[in-house]
Amino acid sequence: MSNDLIYKPQEEKISSEPDFGLFDRSRKKSSRSKADLFELLLVKELNKYSKLSCLNLNDEIKNLINKIKLFKDGSTRIKEQNKRVRLLLPYITKELNKLITTEGKIIKIVWIGRDWQTHKTLADIDIKFLSGKIIGISTKSTRSGKGTQKNIGLKELKKYLGLNIDEELLEMKNKIISKVSAQNKYLKEIAKKGITFIKKNKYRFPIIEKIGKEYGVPLQQLAVKESVKLFNKLTFEKKKAFINFILGFEEKGPLLNAFISGKTTHLYWNISLTSLVGDDLKAVDEGSRGYYIASNGKNIIRIQVNFTNGIGISAFCERAFL
DNA sequence: TCGCGGTCGGGCTTAGTTCG
DNA sequence: CGAACTAAGCCCGACCGCGA
């Protein structure tokens, strides 16, 4: 039996028998909870700054802290978020001060958080002024890097680029399921339960990742080629629509991007990104993993082509970076 | 030239919504 | 009602440039 097929218990696993995914082994990170905590702490401070009540946030903050504590390095991660809020806050309030002189005081602050889907916005926080004006704040907190500008699912890729790889995806999925199934009796049981269950078991059986890549990577490469070809065939208006979607120009109101990466703060209004977009728009193949969108010969957006939860064993998507 | 901070690039995690 | 989809987020190793 090859080494890949041997069941590898994770650090928290006690039983020596495979549990077929009943055990949750994704305990190393808690990225989403940390982001939520960061956003909520920021909302709390912004409320204080605006002299608005924020007592209702304390329970939720407490819950998140308790959740993050359970993860590896949990308390360090919590401290980090607190620190980054302190560093970023003055830059945001400086910008808000300017607005207050023309729009009046802040009367309401709404944490959008995970409700972006129903709000249809990139904003994490909405701020309403006395004049009725509402601005959104999109905020990120990372140890390093700029974070994802946008994650584009297959539905949107179809809509904007006309990308259709349904058949290839189905074929890939079937191949992965049958190859996983052919490994041994445990994997046969897992494969029976479908691709999501296969995904849940990838840490216990490293061969799953290997098989996923075997069939997933060629599809990534195909999708890069297709996307580049399709983008370059679009009319100028349609190219622009795709870029507008990525950059968030479909927002109802002004959007302030406020993010902190390590100790470095960044602050800019979304509208300032319009200067990036010129009249000659082209997609440039960058190899097997992604492509660039260039404006007048200069790369402005990098698009990474991959799967959300591991190659071949989760949903396909393309991700945009500035 | 070496250490270190910043950026890049690939990948992973989470969770709300939708769909069969 | 659970699996799949979607789209937010963060992680982290590699790489690169710059000053001591």
Side-chain angles (χ1 to χ4, degrees):
Chain A
M1 196 191 250
S2 109
N3 211 28
D4 287 329
L5 287 168
I6 297 167
Y7 163 65
K8 300 207 172 154
Q10 302 293 304
E11 53 269 30
E12 304 91 341
K13 188 74 172 60
I14 294 153
S15 160
S16 57
E17 282 298 302
D19 60 11
F20 297 111
L22 300 171
F23 178 74
D24 169 23
R25 62 196 55 266
S26 56
R27 284 281 164 75
K28 277 176 281 187
K29 301 191 205 177
S30 65
S31 48
R32 190 55 239 180
S33 300
K34 287 199 296 290
D36 285 344
L37 178 64
F38 179 79
E39 288 170 19
L40 267 177
L41 290 171
L42 198 57
V43 167
K44 188 177 169 180
E45 291 307 314
L46 288 170
N47 270 305
K48 276 199 216 161
Y49 153 83
S50 310
K51 301 199 167 59
L52 295 166
S53 157
C54 54
L55 291 173
N56 57 325
L57 299 175
N58 287 338
D59 281 351
E60 192 126 19
I61 289 173
K62 224 180 271 171
N63 285 343
L64 282 171
I65 286 175
N66 285 334
K67 211 165 161 186
I68 298 167
K69 260 191 196 156
L70 300 175
F71 289 81
K72 194 166 168 282
D73 299 332
S75 38
T76 313
R77 308 283 177 165
I78 292 161
K79 276 184 208 143
E80 264 178 4
Q81 300 308 332
N82 274 293
K83 198 167 147 197
R84 291 197 203 128
V85 167
R86 271 205 308 281
L87 287 170
L88 187 59
L89 186 68
Y91 294 93
I92 299 176
T93 53
K94 195 176 159 194
E95 208 58 35
L96 293 177
N97 278 336
K98 286 188 220 164
L99 282 162
I100 287 169
T101 58
T102 56
E103 306 297 333
K105 66 176 181 177
I106 292 166
I107 55 170
K108 200 175 179 191
I109 297 173
V110 180
W111 178 48
I112 293 168
R114 301 296 300 163
D115 292 336
W116 51 266
Q117 278 172 103
T118 44
H119 280 70
K120 298 204 181 309
T121 178
L122 291 177
D124 299 304
I125 302 164
D126 267 356
I127 302 219
K128 189 173 181 182
F129 295 87
L130 191 60
S131 69
K133 189 186 179 78
I134 296 173
I135 66 147
I137 301 178
S138 166
T139 186
K140 300 187 209 304
S141 157
T142 71
R143 285 188 158 183
S144 68
K146 283 181 282 198
T148 313
Q149 167 64 24
K150 195 162 184 75
N151 187 323
I152 316 160
L154 209 43
K155 205 175 75 186
E156 302 295 334
L157 289 166
K158 255 182 208 165
K159 179 175 155 192
Y160 286 99
L161 293 180
L163 181 71
N164 190 337
I165 51 168
D166 291 350
E167 250 174 63
E168 290 85 350
L169 278 169
L170 189 65
E171 196 187 327
M172 177 197 78
K173 203 163 100 178
N174 289 335
K175 279 183 179 165
I176 288 170
I177 289 173
S178 63
K179 185 139 186 186
V180 167
S181 180
Q183 299 304 314
N184 63 24
K185 60 174 180 166
Y186 291 134
L187 286 161
K188 192 169 185 168
E189 288 305 304
I190 288 167
K192 264 189 202 161
K193 299 195 178 187
I195 200 85
T196 300
F197 206 74
I198 289 176
K199 183 179 80 192
K200 282 180 184 160
N201 282 278
K202 71 174 175 181
Y203 289 125
R204 292 199 287 140
F205 297 99
I207 187 82
I208 288 176
E209 265 181 303
K210 220 176 218 178
I211 295 171
K213 279 187 180 161
E214 183 183 339
Y215 295 107
V217 169
L219 188 46
Q220 274 185 193
Q221 291 168 349
L222 175 79
V224 171
K225 282 213 155 44
E226 280 296 298
S227 300
V228 169
K229 203 159 71 185
L230 288 164
F231 182 88
N232 287 331
K233 272 200 288 190
L234 295 177
T235 63
F236 177 72
E237 290 312 315
K238 285 189 171 172
K239 284 179 182 173
K240 197 132 185 189
F242 185 48
I243 292 172
N244 286 349
F245 169 68
I246 290 168
L247 297 182
F249 293 159
E250 289 172 349
E251 292 284 320
K252 296 172 290 261
L255 185 71
L256 181 65
N257 295 276
F259 81 93
I260 177 156
S261 168
K263 286 178 286 185
T264 321
T265 56
H266 305 264
L267 206 76
Y268 60 90
W269 288 95
N270 218 34
I271 198 79
S272 68
L273 296 174
T274 48
S275 64
L276 290 176
V277 189
D279 46 18
D280 174 35
L281 301 169
K282 222 169 102 183
V284 186
D285 199 322
E286 186 233 343
S288 58
R289 296 290 203 268
Y291 58 100
Y292 280 98
I293 292 176
S295 162
N296 296 324
K298 196 181 158 225
N299 293 339
I300 56 168
I301 298 167
R302 178 173 63 91
I303 296 184
Q304 182 188 309
V305 175
N306 59 193
F307 294 77
T308 55
N309 268 299
I311 296 169
I313 51 174
S314 66
F316 175 89
C317 74
E318 297 192 4
R319 208 166 310 208
F321 298 85
L322 289 183

